[in-house]
Amino acid sequence: MIEVENLKKYFSSGMLRKRYVKAVDDVSFHIEKGETLGLVGESGCGKTTIGKAILKLIKPTSGRVIFDGVDLLKLKKKKLRRLRPRMQMIFQDPDSSLDPRMKIGDSIAEPLKLQGDINKGEIKGKILELVETVGLNPEHVNRYPYQLSGGQNQRVVLARILALNPDFIIADEPTSSLDVSVQAQILNMMNDLKREIHLTLLFISHDLEVVRCMSDRIAVMYQGKIVEIGKTEDIFDYAKHPYTNTLISPTSIGDRVILDRDMKNASDYTLGCVFYQRCPFAVERCSKKEPEMIEIGKKHYVLCDRVT
Amino acid sequence: MSVLEIIDLKTWFQTQDGLVKAVNSVNLRIEKNERVGLVGETGCGKTVLSFSIIRLLQPTTMIEGKILYKSKDILKLSEREMQKIRGKEIAMILQNPTTALNPVLKVGDQIAEAIWLHQGLKKKEAKEKAVEMLEAVKIPLAEKRANEYPHQFSGGMKERALIAIGLACCTSLIIADEPTRGLDVTTKAQIIKLMKDMTKQRSMLFITHDLEVAAEICDNIAMMYAGELVEYAKTDDVFKNPLHPYTQGIFNSLPNRGLKPIKGMSPSLIDLPSGCRFYQRCDYAREICKNRHPEMVEMENGHFVRCLLYD
């Protein structure tokens, strides 16, 4: 369904002495139809940038993104626009992704109107249908976003997206600002929808437990690179990359391996492994040679030289 | 002697929509060197309770009951007397590090301010102490960092700076309001370790919605729902044997414990149900729960619960 090949996004700063931040550095993966890929990593590791680059909301530096056989990055604006309804993104903060001056109903109607051929009566019916799908009450339609809670607003965002009948959704930390019980409601709903309408999903989060509930496969990201990718069970039971291990160490939070050394800016790296400075198993060669992705099991890849 | 004793505290606000009953008859005691976790969902009154203690609410707020700090009723103190306690004896570590720091002041100066206000040091000495505090909260290159502005700090570092401000004076009670919210796993683990180390000889009220974080830090946990405490026990007891259906529901909705949400939503604090506040969402609700408001009862030693199932 989605194939990402050698995707790069560098942000440059400075006029004369240009410096680059490698937000996404040579990332490749694919997502099959109906599959959910979880993308985990710390804040600032480039998760959101990947999401935006795939949808071409920001222009990648290089690489290819193939959606249903079409290379999105080579596509002209008009054609891309025609494809857009099929791929959608849910953003982190529900309160700021809705227009505060638009009633919920109008917000949901907007994508429907853009699709063209549809009359007012149909729109009204469709809105009510969508509102029900995402578990809101019809009376919410006439309210404004500030009158709803964060969880309810996230449902509205979801309704807006479902209005377009997308095939592919990128969910960028959709529950990070919500309480556990509300989070459980939203995640369950997304899981149901996935089954019902056969959605393909890229689920971005920093919470490994959440990703575990949602994904068929998981990609772990560190400093712009995917350091490990594999089936959910494999990542949890046979994680090989030292960074993945610090994330999932199953004991309580307090006993978790704590990464002491703070990371440097992504721009300071030139050679060697991205995780070198914080890695408890680093040896000298890690600082000199960039590791390569190796396959260590079925569909299970690791970016580390010391794994054999 | 307990450091803090809250007796029958009610905090209500008058708003355009009606009377918001944010805190209702809360009783809570914090002993010396004890760390109590206050756990509940957004909008259950946790933050209002903490603001009542440190008296940061609008003067129009209706506060009833007693808050005894070292046997002195804080609610009866004048604003001037309160200023001497606030920051010096009771410190608060606020939620949301991005907005809690002043964006146009250097981080070092913001920490130093608390020190020279309360400890009578000269400004230069206060600044040196501020750098020491930054070192204590493990910020690398503290001296250089003290001269930077909040926007140059990452989220985790800002949280550390806030902790440094809170702990800069030798406070005896710390109120920490969701210090780990919005941080990712590794940073969260660092902050938790830091909070644990830095509060060893102090009492703390630790507010969070994350039971697992509370378990790491707190000796006792108080569960709050719709403005009142519904369960209070030692951390181990809450985890091994949660009694209140709400506590059980929160556990079940954790991703690693089944992801089963509690049905419905918390009631509005303006229009609280007359019987049990959890009635509509409870799987064990009976007819009697609808009209009778349960009292807090002690089950076994030190395990309190507010539920008619145990009446």
Side-chain angles (χ1 to χ4, degrees):
Chain A
M1 182 83 183
I2 283 273
E3 247 186 283
V4 175
E5 284 172 21
N6 307 91
L7 188 71
K8 287 180 189 170
K9 175 67 199 177
Y10 295 175
F11 292 102
S12 63
S13 60
M15 290 271 280
L16 298 169
R17 278 175 51 226
K18 273 214 166 152
R19 295 179 60 199
Y20 292 95
V21 174
K22 298 179 179 175
V24 176
D25 194 12
D26 208 1
V27 162
S28 306
F29 60 87
H30 70 278
I31 311 175
E32 271 154 43
K33 200 164 166 52
E35 188 189 40
T36 301
L37 178 71
L39 186 62
V40 259
E42 287 169 276
S43 43
C45 76
K47 306 185 293 285
T48 303
T49 312
I50 286 197
K52 287 186 177 165
I54 289 176
L55 296 189
K56 221 176 155 185
L57 296 176
I58 49 175
K59 201 169 171 286
T61 310
S62 68
R64 299 207 305 163
V65 178
I66 296 161
F67 174 78
D68 221 0
V70 196
D71 187 346
L72 292 181
L73 306 183
K74 288 202 182 109
L75 224 52
K76 292 254 164 55
K77 249 190 180 165
K78 251 190 183 161
K79 280 193 176 151
L80 184 69
R81 188 171 291 167
R82 228 172 285 151
L83 265 179
R84 281 239 189 267
R86 297 182 52 197
M87 35 188 209
Q88 287 294 314
M89 188 154 175
I90 305 174
F91 294 98
Q92 262 171 48
D93 182 5
D95 300 342
S96 60
S97 20
L98 292 170
D99 187 334
R101 295 195 288 181
M102 234 184 201
K103 283 183 184 159
I104 299 304
D106 298 333
S107 270
I108 300 176
E110 205 181 15
L112 290 170
K113 281 182 194 153
L114 286 176
Q115 282 174 314
D117 297 343
I118 187 165
N119 66 41
K120 271 192 182 159
E122 280 172 346
I123 288 184
K124 229 176 188 172
K126 195 85 204 278
I127 290 175
L128 290 178
E129 195 185 302
L130 284 165
V131 161
E132 208 191 306
T133 324
V134 296
L136 292 169
N137 295 328
E139 69 213 53
H140 286 132
V141 170
N142 287 319
R143 300 218 186 136
Y144 289 95
Y146 75 89
Q147 293 170 310
L148 301 186
S149 68
Q152 288 171 327
N153 276 334
Q154 199 60 288
R155 288 169 197 265
V156 176
V157 171
L158 210 56
R160 260 168 74 89
I161 285 172
L162 292 176
L164 294 165
N165 289 323
D167 304 310
F168 175 55
I169 293 181
I170 298 180
D172 187 4
E173 309 239 18
T175 58
S176 67
S177 57
L178 306 176
D179 279 328
V180 272
S181 55
V182 184
Q183 165 171 292
Q185 290 171 354
I186 299 273
L187 293 182
N188 275 328
M189 189 176 75
M190 286 180 72
N191 263 331
D192 292 345
L193 285 170
K194 231 167 62 189
R195 241 170 282 131
E196 277 162 33
I197 54 178
H198 215 62
L199 269 178
T200 310
L201 198 63
L202 176 64
F203 192 90
I204 303 175
S205 175
H206 66 255
D207 190 334
L208 219 82
E209 285 301 333
V210 168
V211 168
R212 183 185 206 166
C213 303
M214 298 298 294
S215 319
D216 304 308
R217 283 188 305 135
I218 292 179
V220 181
M221 199 170 172
Y222 183 77
Q223 296 265 311
K225 281 189 182 290
I226 287 181
V227 294
E228 184 157 6
I229 184 167
K231 283 193 224 128
T232 305
E233 314 88 78
D234 290 346
I235 293 283
F236 274 87
D237 299 338
Y238 310 106
K240 279 288 176 336
H241 199 279
Y243 179 63
T244 318
N245 276 316
T246 62
L247 285 182
I248 60 169
S249 40
T251 44
S252 56
I253 310 171
D255 303 333
R256 198 167 266 161
V257 186
I258 288 182
L259 300 168
D260 259 340
R261 286 161 280 188
D262 257 308
M263 47 186 172
K264 279 192 170 178
N265 278 335
S267 56
D268 293 342
Y269 287 99
T270 42
L271 293 164
C273 172
V274 277
F275 194 54
Y276 169 66
Q277 292 195 326
R278 300 169 88 189
C279 182
F281 308 105
V283 291
E284 218 199 314
R285 82 185 134 111
C286 302
S287 70
K288 298 209 171 103
K289 189 181 154 278
E290 209 173 309
E292 272 170 34
M293 263 308 191
I294 38 175
E295 186 168 4
I296 55 160
K298 202 174 170 235
K299 287 188 178 174
H300 189 174
Y301 299 85
V302 174
L303 188 76
C304 179
D305 265 354
R306 300 210 58 204
V307 175
T308 37
Chain B
M1 186 182 72
S2 47
V3 171
L4 188 80
E5 195 174 355
I6 300 173
I7 302 165
D8 206 21
L9 180 77
K10 293 189 182 109
T11 309
W12 295 357
F13 310 92
Q14 189 67 53
T15 64
Q16 279 183 339
D17 300 322
L19 192 63
V20 178
K21 297 179 176 173
V23 176
N24 297 295
S25 303
V26 165
N27 290 293
L28 188 68
R29 191 203 305 230
I30 302 177
E31 303 292 340
K32 198 165 180 235
N33 296 344
E34 188 193 46
R35 293 177 279 203
V36 175
L38 185 64
V39 183
E41 285 172 286
T42 319
C44 76
K46 306 186 294 284
T47 303
V48 174
L49 175 63
S50 64
F51 277 21
S52 311
I53 299 171
I54 203 160
R55 288 202 21 208
L56 283 176
L57 294 165
Q58 296 286 329
T60 50
T61 314
M62 289 168 259
I63 306 183
E64 259 176 51
K66 280 186 188 147
I67 300 176
L68 303 179
Y69 170 72
K70 293 187 174 163
S71 317
K72 231 179 344 193
D73 191 351
I74 289 183
L75 297 177
K76 295 217 171 79
L77 297 181
S78 69
E79 181 52 34
R80 181 168 278 232
E81 285 168 318
M82 193 58 212
Q83 271 176 4
K84 282 189 193 137
I85 289 181
R86 198 187 289 132
K88 188 177 182 185
E89 299 197 28
I90 306 179
M92 181 137 187
I93 298 168
L94 290 165
Q95 207 181 75
N96 197 350
T98 0
T99 52
L101 289 167
N102 187 336
V104 297
L105 281 183
K106 288 175 185 162
V107 175
D109 292 343
Q110 297 190 46
I111 302 170
E113 188 186 6
I115 299 170
W116 75 258
L117 266 176
H118 291 299
Q119 295 190 341
L121 293 176
K122 293 211 181 76
K123 286 204 173 166
K124 202 175 155 226
E125 290 164 349
K127 189 99 195 231
E128 279 162 15
K129 182 101 195 286
V131 174
E132 272 170 40
M133 283 313 295
L134 279 178
E135 270 163 14
V137 294
K138 308 242 168 65
I139 288 192
L141 304 171
E143 208 153 331
K144 177 173 158 262
R145 287 296 192 167
N147 281 318
E148 288 184 354
Y149 292 91
H151 74 265
Q152 290 164 299
F153 277 43
S154 71
M157 282 163 71
K158 276 184 228 170
E159 195 57 64
R160 281 157 200 262
L162 278 179
I163 294 173
I165 295 175
L167 301 180
C169 301
C170 296
T171 42
S172 45
L173 176 67
I174 296 152
I175 303 172
D177 191 0
E178 305 238 24
T180 57
R181 174 164 239 175
L183 302 177
D184 48 340
V185 258
T186 44
T187 326
K188 205 185 214 169
Q190 289 169 356
I191 295 288
I192 288 171
K193 184 163 184 298
L194 184 70
M195 297 277 311
K196 250 171 127 171
D197 294 345
M198 307 274 299
T199 54
K200 277 208 175 104
Q201 297 303 318
R202 289 170 165 128
S203 312
M204 177 157 73
L205 180 65
F206 188 88
I207 300 173
T208 179
H209 70 269
D210 190 335
L211 265 168
E212 284 170 337
V213 173
E216 287 302 324
I217 295 183
C218 305
D219 309 309
N220 290 301
I221 287 181
M223 295 294 299
M224 195 165 181
Y225 182 75
E228 61 183 15
L229 299 187
V230 293
E231 186 160 0
Y232 179 87
K234 287 198 201 82
T235 304
D236 280 351
D237 291 343
V238 171
F239 269 72
K240 284 194 193 117
N241 183 24
L243 293 178
H244 199 281
Y246 175 66
T247 318
Q248 294 167 3
I250 291 284
F251 273 116
N252 291 337
S253 51
L254 289 174
N256 50 359
R257 295 200 187 201
L259 202 67
K260 283 191 283 298
I262 307 171
K263 63 186 181 203
M265 281 185 309
S266 352
S268 147
L269 292 169
I270 293 176
D271 184 23
L272 288 169
S274 58
C276 174
R277 309 245 152 104
F278 193 58
Y279 168 71
Q280 281 159 331
R281 305 174 74 188
C282 182
D283 288 335
Y284 308 101
R286 294 169 298 172
E287 196 51 37
I288 182 175
C289 304
K290 195 173 174 184
N291 299 314
R292 209 174 117 203
H293 185 244
E295 293 296 321
M296 206 67 158
V297 285
E298 182 167 5
M299 291 306 291
E300 47 223 66
N301 48 353
H303 198 151
F304 293 86
V305 65
R306 189 191 292 277
C307 178
L308 291 176
L309 282 178
Y310 305 99
D311 208 21

